[in-house]
Coordinates of all heavy atoms in Angstrom, one line a residue:
F166 N 91.1 62.9 109.0 CA 89.7 63.5 109.3 C 89.9 65.1 109.2 O 89.0 65.6 108.6 CB 89.4 63.2 110.8 CG 88.1 63.8 111.2 CD1 86.8 63.4 110.7 CD2 88.0 64.9 112.0 CE1 85.5 63.8 110.9 CE2 86.8 65.5 112.3 CZ 85.6 65.0 112.0
S167 N 90.9 65.7 109.6 CA 91.1 67.1 109.6 C 91.1 67.6 108.1 O 90.6 68.6 107.7 CB 92.3 67.6 110.2 OG 92.4 67.2 111.7
G168 N 91.9 66.8 107.3 CA 91.9 67.1 105.9 C 90.7 67.1 105.2 O 90.2 67.9 104.3
I169 N 89.8 66.0 105.5 CA 88.4 66.0 105.0 C 87.5 67.1 105.5 O 86.8 67.6 104.6 CB 87.7 64.5 105.4 CG1 88.4 63.4 104.8 CG2 86.2 64.5 105.0 CD1 88.1 62.1 105.3
A170 N 87.7 67.5 106.7 CA 87.0 68.7 107.2 C 87.3 69.9 106.5 O 86.4 70.7 106.1 CB 87.1 68.8 108.6
I171 N 88.5 70.1 106.2 CA 89.0 71.3 105.4 C 88.4 71.3 104.0 O 87.9 72.3 103.6 CB 90.5 71.4 105.4 CG1 91.1 71.7 106.7 CG2 90.9 72.5 104.4 CD1 92.5 71.5 106.7
I172 N 88.4 70.2 103.4 CA 87.9 70.0 102.1 C 86.4 70.4 102.1 O 85.8 71.1 101.1 CB 88.1 68.7 101.5 CG1 89.6 68.5 101.2 CG2 87.3 68.6 100.1 CD1 90.1 67.2 100.7
C173 N 85.6 69.8 103.1 CA 84.1 70.0 103.0 C 83.9 71.4 103.4 O 82.8 72.0 102.9 CB 83.7 69.3 104.3 SG 83.6 67.5 104.0
V174 N 84.6 72.3 104.1 CA 84.4 73.6 104.3 C 84.9 74.5 103.1 O 84.3 75.6 102.8 CB 85.2 74.1 105.7 CG1 85.1 75.6 105.8 CG2 84.6 73.4 106.8
T175 N 86.1 74.0 102.5 CA 86.6 74.9 101.5 C 85.8 75.0 100.1 O 85.6 75.9 99.5 CB 88.1 74.3 101.1 OG1 88.9 74.3 102.3 CG2 88.7 75.2 100.0
I176 N 85.2 73.8 99.6 CA 84.4 73.8 98.6 C 83.2 74.7 98.6 O 83.0 75.5 97.5 CB 84.0 72.2 98.2 CG1 85.1 71.3 98.0 CG2 83.0 72.3 97.1 CD1 84.8 69.9 97.7
P177 N 82.3 74.7 99.5 CA 81.2 75.7 99.6 C 81.8 77.0 99.6 O 81.2 78.0 98.9 CB 80.5 75.4 101.0 CG 80.8 74.0 101.3 CD 82.3 73.8 100.8
L178 N 83.0 77.3 100.2 CA 83.5 78.8 100.2 C 83.9 79.2 98.8 O 83.7 80.3 98.4 CB 84.7 78.8 101.3 CG 84.3 79.0 102.8 CD1 85.5 78.9 103.5 CD2 83.5 80.2 103.1
F179 N 84.5 78.2 98.2 CA 85.0 78.5 96.7 C 83.9 78.7 95.8 O 83.9 79.7 95.1 CB 85.7 77.3 96.3 CG 86.2 77.4 94.9 CD1 87.3 78.2 94.3 CD2 85.3 76.6 93.9 CE1 87.6 78.2 93.1 CE2 85.7 76.7 92.5 CZ 86.8 77.6 92.1
C180 N 82.8 78.0 96.0 CA 81.5 78.1 95.2 C 80.9 79.5 95.5 O 80.5 80.3 94.5 CB 80.4 77.0 95.5 SG 81.0 75.5 94.9
I181 N 80.9 79.8 96.7 CA 80.4 81.2 97.0 C 81.2 82.4 96.6 O 80.6 83.3 95.9 CB 80.2 81.3 98.6 CG1 79.0 80.4 99.2 CG2 79.7 82.8 99.1 CD1 79.2 80.3 100.7
S182 N 82.5 82.2 96.7 CA 83.4 83.2 96.2 C 83.3 83.4 94.7 O 83.4 84.5 94.0 CB 84.8 82.8 96.4 OG 85.0 82.8 97.9
L183 N 83.1 82.4 93.9 CA 83.0 82.3 92.5 C 81.7 83.1 92.1 O 81.8 83.9 91.1 CB 82.9 80.9 91.9 CG 83.0 80.8 90.6 CD1 84.3 81.2 89.9 CD2 82.8 79.2 90.0
K184 N 80.5 82.7 92.8 CA 79.4 83.4 92.5 C 79.4 85.0 92.9 O 78.9 85.7 92.0 CB 78.3 82.7 93.4 CG 76.9 83.2 93.1 CD 75.7 82.4 94.0 CE 74.3 82.9 93.6 NZ 73.4 82.3 94.4
T185 N 80.0 85.2 93.9 CA 80.3 86.7 94.3 C 81.0 87.3 93.3 O 80.8 88.5 93.0 CB 80.9 86.8 95.7 OG1 80.1 86.0 96.6 CG2 80.9 88.2 96.1
G186 N 82.2 86.7 92.8 CA 83.1 87.3 91.9 C 82.3 87.5 90.5 O 82.5 88.7 90.0
R187 N 81.4 86.8 90.2 CA 80.6 87.0 88.9 C 79.6 88.2 89.0 O 79.7 88.9 88.2 CB 79.9 85.7 88.4 CG 80.7 84.6 87.9 CD 79.9 83.3 87.8 NE 80.7 82.3 87.2 CZ 80.4 81.0 87.0 NH1 79.1 80.7 87.6 NH2 81.2 80.1 86.5
K188 N 79.1 88.2 90.2 CA 78.2 89.3 90.6 C 79.0 90.7 90.5 O 78.6 91.7 90.1 CB 77.6 89.2 91.8 CG 76.4 88.1 91.8 CD 75.7 88.1 93.2 CE 74.6 87.0 93.1 NZ 73.8 86.9 94.5
N189 N 80.1 90.7 91.1 CA 81.0 91.9 91.3 C 81.5 92.3 89.9 O 81.6 93.5 89.6 CB 82.2 91.6 92.1 CG 81.9 91.6 93.6 OD1 80.8 92.1 94.0 ND2 82.8 91.1 94.4
Y190 N 81.8 91.3 88.9 CA 82.2 91.6 87.6 C 81.0 92.3 86.8 O 81.2 93.3 86.1 CB 82.6 90.3 86.9 CG 83.0 90.6 85.5 CD1 84.0 91.2 85.1 CD2 82.0 90.2 84.4 CE1 84.4 91.4 83.8 CE2 82.5 90.4 83.2 CZ 83.7 91.0 82.7 OH 84.0 91.3 81.5
E191 N 79.7 91.9 87.0 CA 78.7 92.5 86.4 C 78.4 94.0 86.8 O 78.3 94.8 86.0 CB 77.3 91.6 86.6 CG 77.4 90.3 86.0 CD 77.5 90.4 84.4 OE1 76.9 91.3 83.8 OE2 78.1 89.6 83.7
L192 N 78.7 94.1 88.3 CA 78.5 95.4 88.7 C 79.7 96.3 88.2 O 79.4 97.5 88.0 CB 78.7 95.3 90.3 CG 77.4 94.7 91.0 CD1 77.7 94.7 92.5 CD2 76.1 95.8 90.9
S193 N 80.9 95.8 88.1 CA 82.0 96.4 87.6 C 81.7 96.9 86.3 O 82.0 98.1 85.7 CB 83.2 95.7 87.7 OG 84.4 96.3 87.2
K194 N 81.1 96.1 85.3 CA 80.7 96.5 84.0 C 79.8 97.7 83.9 O 80.0 98.6 83.2 CB 80.2 95.2 83.3 CG 81.0 94.2 82.8 CD 80.5 92.9 82.3 CE 79.6 93.3 81.0 NZ 79.1 92.0 80.6
E195 N 78.8 97.6 84.9 CA 77.9 98.8 84.9 C 78.5 100.0 85.3 O 78.2 101.1 84.9 CB 76.7 98.3 85.8 CG 75.5 99.3 86.0 CD 74.8 99.5 84.7 OE1 74.9 98.6 83.9 OE2 74.1 100.7 84.5
H196 N 79.5 99.8 86.3 CA 80.1 101.0 86.9 C 81.1 101.6 85.7 O 81.0 102.8 85.5 CB 81.1 100.5 88.0 CG 82.0 101.6 88.5 ND1 83.4 101.7 88.1 CD2 81.9 102.7 89.2 CE1 83.8 102.8 88.6 NE2 83.1 103.4 89.4
Q197 N 81.7 100.8 84.8 CA 82.6 101.3 83.8 C 81.7 101.9 82.7 O 82.1 103.0 82.2 CB 83.4 100.2 83.1 CG 84.4 99.7 84.0 CD 85.6 100.6 84.3 OE1 85.8 101.4 83.4 NE2 86.2 100.6 85.5
K198 N 80.5 101.4 82.6 CA 79.5 102.0 81.6 C 79.1 103.5 81.9 O 79.1 104.4 81.1 CB 78.3 101.2 81.4 CG 77.2 101.7 80.5 CD 76.0 100.7 80.4 CE 75.0 101.2 79.6 NZ 73.7 100.3 79.6
I199 N 78.8 103.6 83.2 CA 78.3 104.9 83.8 C 79.6 105.9 83.7 O 79.4 107.0 83.5 CB 77.8 104.8 85.1 CG1 76.5 104.0 85.1 CG2 77.3 106.1 85.7 CD1 75.9 103.6 86.4
K200 N 80.7 105.4 84.1 CA 81.8 106.2 84.2 C 82.3 106.8 82.7 O 82.7 107.9 82.7 CB 83.0 105.4 84.7 CG 84.2 106.3 85.0 CD 85.4 105.3 85.6 CE 86.7 106.1 85.8 NZ 87.8 105.2 86.3
R201 N 82.2 105.9 81.8 CA 82.4 106.4 80.5 C 81.4 107.6 80.1 O 81.7 108.6 79.3 CB 82.3 105.3 79.4 CG 82.5 105.7 77.9 CD 82.2 104.6 77.0 NE 80.8 104.1 77.0 CZ 79.9 104.8 76.1 NH1 80.4 105.8 75.3 NH2 78.7 104.5 76.1
Q202 N 80.1 107.4 80.4 CA 79.1 108.4 80.2 C 79.4 109.8 80.8 O 79.4 110.7 80.2 CB 77.8 107.9 80.4 CG 77.3 106.7 79.5 CD 76.1 106.1 79.9 OE1 75.4 106.3 81.0 NE2 75.5 105.1 79.1
Y203 N 79.6 109.6 82.2 CA 79.8 110.8 82.9 C 81.3 111.5 82.4 O 81.3 112.8 82.7 CB 79.5 110.8 84.4 CG 80.7 110.2 85.3 CD1 82.0 110.7 85.4 CD2 80.4 108.9 85.9 CE1 82.8 110.1 86.1 CE2 81.3 108.4 86.7 CZ 82.6 108.9 86.9 OH 83.6 108.3 87.7
S204 N 82.1 110.8 82.1 CA 83.4 111.3 81.6 C 83.3 112.0 80.5 O 83.8 113.2 80.2 CB 84.5 110.2 81.5 OG 84.7 109.4 82.7
Y205 N 82.4 111.6 79.5 CA 82.1 112.3 78.2 C 81.4 113.6 78.5 O 81.5 114.6 78.0 CB 81.3 111.4 77.3 CG 80.8 112.0 76.0 CD1 81.9 112.4 75.2 CD2 79.5 112.4 75.8 CE1 81.3 113.0 73.9 CE2 79.0 113.0 74.5 CZ 80.1 113.4 73.6 OH 79.7 114.0 72.5
I206 N 80.3 113.5 79.5 CA 79.8 114.8 79.9 C 80.7 115.9 80.5 O 80.6 116.9 80.2 CB 78.6 114.4 80.9 CG1 77.4 113.7 80.2 CG2 78.1 115.8 81.5 CD1 76.5 113.1 81.1
S207 N 81.5 115.3 81.3 CA 82.6 116.2 82.0 C 83.5 116.9 80.7 O 83.7 118.1 81.0 CB 83.5 115.4 82.8 OG 84.5 116.2 83.3
E208 N 83.9 116.2 79.7 CA 84.5 116.8 78.6 C 83.6 118.0 78.0 O 84.2 119.0 77.7 CB 85.0 115.8 77.6 CG 86.0 114.9 78.1 CD 86.4 113.9 77.0 OE1 85.9 114.1 75.8 OE2 87.2 112.9 77.3
M209 N 82.5 117.6 77.8 CA 81.5 118.7 77.2 C 81.3 119.9 78.0 O 81.2 121.0 77.6 CB 80.2 118.0 76.9 CG 80.2 116.9 75.9 SD 78.6 116.3 75.6 CE 77.7 117.6 74.8
L210 N 81.5 119.8 79.3 CA 81.2 120.8 80.3 C 82.5 121.7 80.5 O 82.5 122.8 81.0 CB 80.8 120.4 81.7 CG 79.3 119.7 81.7 CD1 79.0 119.2 83.0 CD2 78.3 120.9 81.4
M211 N 83.7 121.0 80.3 CA 85.0 121.6 80.6 C 85.9 122.2 79.4 O 86.6 123.0 79.6 CB 85.8 120.7 81.7 CG 85.0 120.4 83.0 SD 85.9 119.5 84.0 CE 87.3 120.5 84.5
N212 N 85.9 121.3 78.4 CA 86.7 121.5 77.2 C 86.3 122.9 76.6 O 85.2 123.2 76.4 CB 86.7 120.4 76.3 CG 87.5 119.2 76.9 OD1 87.9 119.1 78.1 ND2 87.6 118.1 76.1

Side-chain angles (χ1 to χ4, degrees):
F166 178 76
S167 301
I169 294 169
I171 290 172
I172 292 173
C173 291
V174 173
T175 303
I176 291 174
L178 284 175
F179 175 77
C180 294
I181 292 169
S182 299
L183 190 63
K184 188 177 179 181
T185 305
R187 286 172 177 169
K188 287 182 178 178
N189 284 346
Y190 177 70
E191 293 299 323
L192 286 172
S193 178
K194 283 171 64 177
E195 185 64 23
H196 174 262
Q197 290 294 328
K198 177 181 176 180
I199 297 172
K200 186 178 178 181
R201 180 182 72 83
Q202 292 173 351
Y203 76 65
S204 296
Y205 178 67
I206 293 173
S207 175
E208 288 181 11
M209 293 182 68
L210 290 172
M211 298 180 67
N212 285 5

